[in-house]
Amino acid sequence: RAENEEQQPASARSIYAIASESSLNAALEQAPQPLRAAIACRTGLWGGFVHMTLCSFDEHVGVDVIEAAEAMLASGRSRLEDTHAAGDRCLRLPVDRWEWDDPVDGRSAYAGRHILVCHLRGGSNVLSAVMKTCGEHRLVGTRVKSREPSSKALHVTIPLEARRLPCDGAAIRAFLARLEWELAVVRLDGPKAATTPLTVEWRGALSVSTQGSGQS
């Protein structure tokens, strides 16, 4: 890892919470056809991930970003074990946690597409623990800035091939509630823009199981 970072000293990195591939595929399969057709998450914006950005893309000088992500994952898993029922092994966020902006808001155009900004209004104890650890590691541009970080400031940005909501709110909430969340360290392979390709350097599941974590 150190050798790789020496080869690319100027790379901008961020830590994302991303929807796992398996849960995203399952959620898309179960979504109404208009929603499946409208969600353009596979067309390259933000690396094709349905995600929450936890800190800014930056060089994060003096901070081992992967080490920070590992600590954030450990904090999230510990809180998940404390607060979730034994059967809830992965982090999912219930339907009543989500609200969103109209995709035709003036700020919503990216690369010719509109976006659906879904706010995590209800918060999450697991993500709050993750964000507290994020702040403790001095990562640049931590999305939640307070002594007691709350996940309520986080949001998911979903690109749409549509100018209007493609379905009713219940279907959108059901789609979001089916997603299982992971943490990932992502590197920009070019300028800071929604269309720039991303490389995943590390990822780990927000799950009480330790399987599936580690570098990729």
Side-chain angles (χ1 to χ4, degrees), residues 123-193:
S124 161
N125 289 335
V126 174
L127 286 179
S128 291
V130 166
M131 294 308 303
K132 181 177 181 180
T133 304
C134 185
E136 291 170 349
H137 278 75
R138 299 175 289 108
L139 290 156
V140 176
T142 301
R143 283 295 188 260
V144 182
K145 299 178 180 179
S146 72
R147 298 184 68 179
E148 293 295 333
S150 167
S151 59
K152 292 182 182 181
L154 299 176
H155 66 269
V156 176
T157 301
I158 304 174
L160 297 175
E161 299 284 10
R163 291 180 58 85
R164 299 283 181 182
L165 291 178
C167 58
D168 62 21
I172 295 171
R173 286 190 170 92
F175 168 77
L176 291 166
R178 291 186 178 106
L179 301 177
E180 296 176 356
W181 294 94
E182 304 177 341
L183 297 185
V185 175
V186 291
R187 186 185 74 238
L188 271 176
D189 294 325
K192 293 183 180 181

Side-chain angles (χ1 to χ4, degrees), residues 13-20 23-24 41 45-57 60 69 72 90-94 97-99 116-131 134 139-144 150-159 175-187 198 200 202-206:
R13 293 174 172 84
S14 179
I15 300 177
Y16 276 4
I18 61 174
S20 71
S23 71
L24 177 58
C41 58
L45 294 185
W46 299 284
F49 298 115
V50 172
H51 71 280
M52 292 179 267
T53 303
L54 306 186
C55 63
S56 298
F57 277 98
H60 301 289
M72 291 161 64
C90 298
L91 176 62
R92 295 179 187 240
L93 299 166
R97 303 290 174 92
W98 297 103
E99 296 179 3
L116 181 61
V117 181
C118 303
H119 303 280
L120 185 57
R121 294 300 192 196
S124 161
N125 289 335
V126 174
L127 286 179
S128 291
V130 166
M131 294 308 303
C134 185
L139 290 156
V140 176
T142 301
R143 283 295 188 260
V144 182
S150 167
S151 59
K152 292 182 182 181
L154 299 176
H155 66 269
V156 176
T157 301
I158 304 174
F175 168 77
L176 291 166
R178 291 186 178 106
L179 301 177
E180 296 176 356
W181 294 94
E182 304 177 341
L183 297 185
V185 175
V186 291
R187 186 185 74 238
L198 296 176
V200 176
W202 175 95
R203 68 195 297 169
L206 277 166

Side-chain angles (χ1 to χ4, degrees), residues 3-23:
E3 179 181 351
N4 183 57
E5 290 179 351
E6 289 174 3
Q7 293 171 355
Q8 299 183 17
S11 294
R13 293 174 172 84
S14 179
I15 300 177
Y16 276 4
I18 61 174
S20 71
E21 287 292 313
S22 59
S23 71

Side-chain angles (χ1 to χ4, degrees), residues 30-113:
Q30 296 178 65
Q33 194 280 332
L35 182 57
R36 291 200 307 270
I39 292 179
C41 58
R42 297 305 198 196
T43 58
L45 294 185
W46 299 284
F49 298 115
V50 172
H51 71 280
M52 292 179 267
T53 303
L54 306 186
C55 63
S56 298
F57 277 98
D58 200 275
E59 294 179 41
H60 301 289
V61 176
V63 179
D64 185 324
V65 180
I66 292 178
E67 182 179 286
E70 289 171 340
M72 291 161 64
L73 183 68
S75 296
R77 283 179 171 170
S78 177
R79 185 59 60 90
L80 186 65
E81 290 173 345
D82 290 342
T83 61
H84 281 237
D88 295 334
R89 300 181 65 182
C90 298
L91 176 62
R92 295 179 187 240
L93 299 166
V95 294
D96 60 359
R97 303 290 174 92
W98 297 103
E99 296 179 3
W100 45 82
D101 295 334
D102 190 323
V104 297
D105 283 351
R107 62 187 178 84
S108 67
Y110 278 86
R113 297 183 181 90

